[in-house]
Amino acid sequence: MVTIESVDELERMLKVLSNPIRLKIIASLQGQPNHAYALAKQLGLSYPLAHLYLESLEHVGLIEGSRVLSIEDERERILYRLKDFRVELTPEFISKLVNSGGHN
Amino acid sequence: MVTIESVDELERMLKVLSNPIRLKIIASLQGQPNHAYALAKQLGLSYPLAHLYLESLEHVGLIEGSRVLSIEDERERILYRLKDFRVELTPEFISKLVNSGGHN
DNA sequence: CACATATATAAAGAAACTCTTATATATCAA
DNA sequence: TTGATATATAAGAGTTTCTTTATATATGTG
């Protein structure tokens, strides 16, 4: 489960989430795990953009890529899965993070 | 209570929240409502920046400014209060918004 | 071999965001 | 009338984000 323990971490995650395309990617991966190339086609994105965005989503821990062997052609591919996350944005939570000093 | 009903709205709110100074402002206002000038001094910000950020926080509905008459000097000032909000970022919530078509 | 699939990365311009400085107005106190 | 308080807005520089185009590599198919 994804946890946030500093303002810095929260900021990075919110920055990644505050983009309509990346939200679309999350919604799509919630339906089913997918590969970068297939996802790009499905959402009408260029592959480089999809790759970049998947990378940024992975960096903040919202998705996870794993090398899997395709049954069809035996080639290794990276399958991206959505991680289970629940971030509750409330005044209390934000205050707690801000007042915990910035580090952690 | 603050509610989010579209991807657009979510995106705007997350963009405003994904900034350490604006998170600090929220944490400060959670402790007590305050005026722009006093808040700027307290957090070590320039007044224009504090004003700008309070405005953006107000635009997405996270805080609320109201003209109040100061008891001390009888001058009208704008007091900013934190609104009660609870935004739960989960795969389900994001999917719901994305699949609701973008409008609403 | 040319083409589609599949991944990865770099370069570059456009757009947006960040933040300060400057300007303006108004009140109150020393 | 000078200085601190208080609000508001604009202009501009600097930084970051956004997104495409280009380049590279590798595999499998017609």
Side-chain angles (χ1 to χ4, degrees), chain A residues 17-53:
Chain A
L17 283 174
S18 61
N19 173 292
I21 296 178
R22 289 191 289 261
L23 290 175
K24 256 194 197 172
I25 291 176
I26 288 176
S28 172
L29 291 182
Q30 208 239 349
Q32 82 234 275
N34 210 348
H35 305 277
Y37 190 85
L39 188 75
K41 283 188 95 172
Q42 189 200 114
L43 299 182
L45 310 173
S46 67
Y47 168 77
L49 189 61
H51 179 260
L52 217 61
Y53 281 179

Side-chain angles (χ1 to χ4, degrees), chain B residues 46-59:
Chain B
S46 66
Y47 168 77
L49 188 61
H51 180 259
L52 217 63
Y53 281 178
L54 285 168
E55 202 174 56
S56 67
L57 285 165
E58 193 173 27
H59 276 153

